[in-house]
Amino acid sequence: MSEQKQLLIIDDDPDFAEGIKSILVKAKYKVDMAHNPKDGWAALEKNKYDLLLLDVMMGRGAEGIMIARKLGKDAKFRELPVLIITSIREQMAFLFPGGAVHPNFVDVDELIEKPVEPKLLLDKVSALIKSSEAKKKK
Amino acid sequence: MTKKTFAYFPGCSLEKMAESYHLSTVEIARVMGMELKELEDWNCCGATAYFHVDELLAHTLCARNLAMAEKEGLDLVAPCSGCYKNMHACNAHLKKDHDLADHINFALEEDNLRYDGKIKVHHLIEVFSEDLKEVKAKATNPLTGLKVAPYYGCQILRPRKFEHENVEEPRYFEDLMTAIGATPVDFLLRLRCCGAALIITNRQAALSMVRNLLQNALDSGADVIATACPLCQVNLECYQDQVNAEFGTKYSVPVFYFTQLMGLSMGIPAKRLGIGTEFLSPPAAMLAACRKAAAV
Amino acid sequence: MATTVTFSQEIGNLLHAAGGTPVSACMQCGTCSGTCPVGDFMDVRPQRLIRMIDAGFKDKVMATRAFWYCASCYQCTVRCPRGIDIAELMYGLKRYTIWKNQYPEDLIGPAFSETFVKNIVRTGRSYEPVLATSYFFTLGLKEMLSEAQNATMLMLKGRLPVLPARIKRLENFKRMIKRIIPIGD
Ligand code: SF4
Ligand code: SF4
Ligand code: SF4
Ligand code: SF4
C-alpha cells in the first residue's frame, strides 16, 4: 500500500466533523479539521492534502461554494479532489424547494447530502482519491 | 457651480407607501440644482432585519445596485435609512474583502455586471446638509416658529463607529432644520431605535418603543417629528392609533419627512410635496407655511 | 460526542468574517443590556446571553428568543467597551438556529424572513400588502383588526401599491441568486 493519505475537513459543526473524522481515522486516513473557511484555507495553504471534505453553509452563508470556486481558479489546487458534504437543502428549504446543485468548480468533486452513511462516505473518499490519481498520471 | 449628479435608489417603500418622500425629494433636488437619476432596474436591498440570515445573499442584492451605479459613474444616494445602511455596509465589505468581492462578482456576471468598489454611498440627508448655505439661501419661506423634533433613528448612524463619524452626538439634522428657519428641540431619544423591524414579529416591544419616542417628542415641546426614513415615518405615524389603544394614551403627533419641511421652506406648494397623504394633519406653523407657499 | 471546540469558539467560527472581538473578551459590564431598547422584552438580555455563550450553554442559547427580538439597532455594538459586535452576533444566531432548525416553533421571526425572502427572490422587489396579509393569521384578533385598519387607511391615502413591482431582468436576477445559494428548481 502507498503511504497514508491525508485529508482535511472544513465544517462548522464540530460534532459532525468529529464524527466523520473518527470514521476516516478508523479507515487509516490521517485527518485534519478546520471549523471555518478562514482557518480551512490557511490549512490548505500550509499542508498538502489528498482530499478535502467540504461543508457548504458556514459563516455568512454558502461559503463552502466560495472555497470550491477559489480552489478551481488556482492551478495549485485545481487537482485537489473535493467531497462536498451538505445539508443545504434542509437548511435552506424554507427559502427554495429543490435539491442541492452540484457546482463543479474543481476537476474532481462529488456531492453527498447529510446525514452521511459511514460506508458510503468511505467508498466515495477512496473513489475520489483514485480517480484524481488516475487523472494526474495521464 | 457644477451640478451635482447622483444615482438615486428610491427603495421599495418609496414606490408607493412613502411616495410623499419621493415627491418632495425630487422637488427640492430641483431647487437645489441637484440631479437625481433613478437607478435603472434596481432591486430591493433586503434591508429588513431578517435578511442578514444569509449575508452572502444580502451582499449580492446590494452589490447589484452598486454595480449599476458604478456603471453610470455615479455615487449612490438612498433616502431609506435601512437601504442606506445595507448598501453602505456592503460597499465597505466589498472594498475590504477581495475574496468576497470576487465571489459576488461571479454572481453578478449573470446580469452582465461587475463592481469594482469605485463609488460611495450616501444617505439623502447627508447630501443636502453638506450645503447648508445653499439651503438657507433657497429657504425663502422659512418655517418660523415650527418646533421640530429631528429623529435620526438608528440605521442612519450606526454601526459606523470606526469611520470617525460622530455616531453619538450628531448635529446635522438640527442644523438643517435651523437652516430652513425651524426650531429644532432637544429631542433626547432622537437616536433611539423605533422598533420598525419588530412591528410584526414582536408587536408589544415595537408599540412600546413607539410610545416612548412619541412621549419624549412631546416632552421636548415639539410640534412635529421630522424623519429621514420611510420605515421610521410609517412606524411612528401610522401606529399611533394602535399605541393609543394599547396604552390608553391620546397621542396625535404629526410626522413628516425632512424633505417635505425643506420643500415648504422653499415655497413649493404642499400638494407637490405629498402633504395631504398623512394620517395626522400638520401643526399650525406648518399650515401657515403651506398657505404662503400656495400664494407664491 | 465530546469535541475540543467550545461553544464560544463555535460562535467565533460563525462570525469569522465579522471582525469584532471574540465574545470571550466580554467583561460583563452590562452596557449592552442597559442600552438595548428591546431589553425589557427579551427572555435573556444581551449581557447574559453572552455569558451563556461563554459558559458553553449551547442548547439554552439556541432556544433563546432574545436574538429574534433584536431590532438590529447597533446601539450595543457602538457602545461595547470591548469592541464586541453584539448586533452581528444576534444576526449570526438567527442564521445559525435556522440552519440547525432549532428555533422555538411559535416565533414569527423565521416565518417572516421566509416570506420576505421568497418575495424578493420571486420579484426582485418587496411587496408590502402580500407581506402584511400573509401575517394576519399569526396575529391575534385585536391586532389583526388594527393591522387591517392600517392597510385600509394606507390604501385610501393611495399609499399601497396595487400590484407587486417586478424588476425587468428577472431571469438574470434569479440566476444570479442561484450562484450564491446553489439550490435547483
Ligand atoms: S429595504 Fe425596504 S425600502 Fe429598502 S429596498 Fe428593501 S423593501 Fe425597499
Ligand atoms: S429608527 Fe426605526 S425605522 Fe428608522 S432605521 Fe431605526 S428601526 Fe429602522
Ligand atoms: S457591553 Fe460588551 S463588555 Fe459589556 S457586557 Fe456587553 S458585551 Fe460584555
Ligand atoms: S442591536 Fe439588538 S441587542 Fe443590540 S441594542 Fe439594538 S436591539 Fe438590543
Side-chain angles (χ1 to χ4, degrees):
Chain A
M1 260 295 281
S2 57
E3 83 284 18
Q4 200 183 15
K5 299 289 178 205
Q6 190 155 346
L7 318 182
L8 175 66
I9 303 172
I10 309 181
D11 192 309
D12 69 342
D13 183 336
D15 295 334
F16 182 81
E18 196 73 58
I20 294 217
K21 179 179 171 174
S22 73
I23 296 171
L24 293 165
V25 167
K26 269 193 214 121
K28 303 277 181 283
Y29 290 103
K30 198 165 168 292
V31 182
D32 288 346
M33 290 192 293
H35 298 295
N36 70 53
K38 217 196 233 159
D39 295 352
W41 191 262
L44 285 167
E45 294 267 12
K46 201 166 139 239
N47 308 312
K48 186 143 175 35
Y49 292 102
D50 298 293
L51 177 114
L52 168 65
L53 297 111
L54 182 62
D55 183 22
V56 174
M57 300 306 285
M58 289 183 284
R60 294 164 287 185
E63 290 203 47
I65 300 300
M66 275 175 86
I67 295 186
R69 233 193 105 239
K70 204 171 158 190
L71 289 170
K73 286 175 55 173
D74 193 327
K76 195 165 73 199
F77 291 120
R78 198 170 302 136
E79 293 180 344
L80 174 69
V82 179
L83 181 59
I84 298 173
I85 306 180
T86 181
S87 56
I88 185 170
R89 191 171 49 181
E90 212 173 284
Q91 291 173 330
M92 301 302 280
F94 84 91
L95 296 185
F96 307 95
V101 168
H102 190 174
N104 282 107
F105 287 124
V106 290
D107 286 354
V108 181
D109 65 354
E110 266 223 55
L111 186 125
I112 55 173
E113 297 202 43
K114 287 183 191 173
V116 182
E117 243 217 90
K119 169 135 178 19
L120 184 71
L121 176 77
L122 291 172
D123 287 352
K124 296 239 172 194
V125 166
S126 72
L128 275 174
I129 294 179
K130 271 202 195 97
S131 93
S132 118
E133 279 174 349
K135 263 200 174 172
K136 270 183 221 164
K137 269 185 206 132
K138 266 192 225 160
Chain B
M1 205 183 84
T2 52
K3 195 167 171 177
K4 278 194 209 160
T5 309
F6 294 98
Y8 175 64
F9 176 87
C12 305
S13 317
L14 263 74
E15 285 211 301
K16 209 70 186 167
M17 195 180 77
E19 207 181 5
S20 56
Y21 193 13
H22 177 66
L23 292 175
S24 50
T25 298
V26 172
E27 290 287 340
I28 60 171
R30 192 175 39 79
V31 175
M32 293 284 291
M34 188 184 290
E35 195 185 343
L36 297 177
K37 282 176 80 177
E38 182 168 334
L39 202 61
E40 214 238 310
D41 208 36
W42 55 268
N43 60 267
C44 174
C45 69
T48 70
Y50 302 102
F51 217 15
H52 269 60
V53 159
D54 193 304
E55 251 183 84
L56 296 182
L57 182 55
H59 284 320
T60 310
L61 293 178
C62 290
R64 183 173 176 272
N65 295 319
L66 295 174
M68 290 186 294
E70 189 179 77
K71 210 169 161 186
E72 301 271 317
L74 297 171
D75 281 352
L76 191 81
V77 166
C80 165
S81 298
C83 306
Y84 164 70
K85 182 239 144 189
N86 263 5
M87 288 193 284
H88 188 281
C90 170
N91 200 20
H93 277 113
L94 291 177
K95 285 185 186 189
K96 195 172 68 197
D97 184 340
H98 297 292
D99 279 349
L100 178 69
D102 185 64
H103 194 61
I104 303 293
N105 272 323
F106 164 67
L108 292 181
E109 275 171 18
E110 288 284 11
D111 199 24
N112 308 312
L113 290 166
R114 160 165 196 94
Y115 184 59
D116 286 314
K118 286 194 200 126
I119 63 162
K120 286 198 187 114
V121 176
H122 305 279
H123 190 285
L124 185 67
I125 195 169
E126 263 176 52
V127 302
F128 287 125
S129 50
E130 250 162 33
D131 204 352
L132 286 179
K133 252 212 225 127
E134 184 70 8
V135 172
K136 215 168 171 175
K138 296 286 199 261
T140 50
N141 185 29
L143 307 182
T144 320
L146 183 67
K147 292 201 227 93
V148 183
Y151 182 53
Y152 291 81
C154 46
Q155 314 282 309
I156 197 172
L157 290 155
R158 297 188 290 270
R160 281 170 302 291
K161 164 180 178 183
F162 305 108
E163 289 162 39
H164 49 261
E165 210 176 299
N166 192 344
V167 294
E168 297 272 15
E169 298 284 338
R171 290 297 307 172
Y172 58 84
F173 208 151
E174 280 83 356
D175 295 342
L176 191 62
M177 292 298 105
T178 309
I180 60 170
T183 313
V185 299
D186 280 330
F187 183 23
L188 204 67
L189 296 186
R190 68 208 173 111
L191 307 180
R192 189 100 168 152
C193 171
C194 74
L198 300 176
I199 198 79
I200 287 172
T201 53
N202 190 341
R203 194 181 185 78
Q204 268 293 320
L207 290 181
S208 114
M209 286 154 90
V210 171
R211 179 191 59 173
N212 292 345
L213 284 168
L214 294 172
Q215 186 57 46
N216 189 245
L218 286 182
D219 291 346
S220 61
D223 305 320
V224 60
I225 298 175
T227 76
C229 168
L231 304 173
C232 308
Q233 200 280 338
V234 169
N235 204 31
L236 287 182
E237 188 194 26
C238 308
Y239 285 91
Q240 289 192 28
D241 268 2
Q242 279 94 311
V243 168
N244 290 338
E246 190 77 29
F247 301 103
T249 47
K250 286 209 176 67
Y251 295 115
S252 175
V253 189
V255 186
F256 286 89
Y257 293 106
F258 77 97
T259 46
Q260 292 178 297
L261 300 181
M262 280 180 76
L264 267 186
S265 82
M266 294 171 176
I268 300 165
K271 195 156 181 258
R272 290 200 350 235
L273 299 168
I275 296 177
T277 58
E278 60 280 347
F279 287 18
L280 304 165
S281 7
M286 254 180 91
L287 287 172
C290 289
R291 277 192 296 275
K292 266 201 248 157
V296 180
Chain C
M1 183 174 306
T3 73
T4 44
V5 182
T6 65
F7 184 47
S8 144
Q9 282 166 336
E10 201 174 328
I11 293 298
N13 287 328
L14 178 69
L15 301 177
H16 76 95
T21 321
V23 294
S24 54
C26 170
M27 58 186 199
Q28 289 290 307
C29 69
T31 306
C32 49
S33 291
T35 200
C36 177
V38 201
D40 288 349
F41 297 88
M42 288 178 170
D43 48 354
V44 175
R45 289 175 194 250
Q47 173 196 3
R48 238 189 87 214
L49 188 73
I50 285 173
R51 197 185 174 79
M52 283 160 63
I53 293 172
D54 210 31
F57 297 153
K58 179 168 175 178
D59 293 341
K60 272 194 191 142
V61 170
M62 300 287 272
T64 299
R65 291 152 187 275
F67 42 91
W68 286 103
Y69 294 165
C70 163
S72 314
C73 75
Y74 292 92
Q75 192 63 266
C76 50
T77 296
V78 171
R79 294 201 174 150
C80 171
R82 286 290 165 93
I84 298 170
D85 195 339
I86 303 145
E88 262 339 299
L89 166 72
M90 299 289 184
Y91 271 134
L93 284 168
K94 284 180 189 172
R95 181 158 78 229
Y96 211 47
T97 50
I98 286 189
W99 290 356
K100 311 259 175 249
N101 215 340
Q102 272 191 34
Y103 47 84
E105 273 205 355
D106 57 321
L107 272 174
I108 304 177
F112 185 64
S113 337
E114 179 181 345
T115 311
F116 191 80
V117 174
K118 274 189 179 151
N119 201 22
I120 292 170
V121 170
R122 212 171 47 230
T123 64
R125 303 247 168 110
S126 137
Y127 180 53
E128 287 109 358
V130 170
L131 205 57
T133 41
S134 48
Y135 277 85
F136 279 176
F137 72 91
T138 60
L139 302 169
L141 183 64
K142 202 172 90 199
E143 289 86 359
M144 184 165 129
L145 285 175
S146 73
E147 199 63 54
Q149 183 191 336
N150 243 2
T152 323
M153 190 77 160
L154 283 164
M155 196 79 87
L156 286 176
K157 298 274 185 184
R159 282 167 66 172
L160 274 192
V162 182
L163 280 172
R166 272 176 191 274
I167 66 167
K168 288 187 217 125
R169 301 193 298 270
L170 192 60
E171 287 314 308
N172 291 358
F173 182 84
K174 285 185 173 163
R175 269 185 284 123
M176 175 184 92
I177 288 175
K178 279 204 184 132
R179 283 196 167 183
I180 295 299
I181 302 179
I183 280 226
D185 303 306

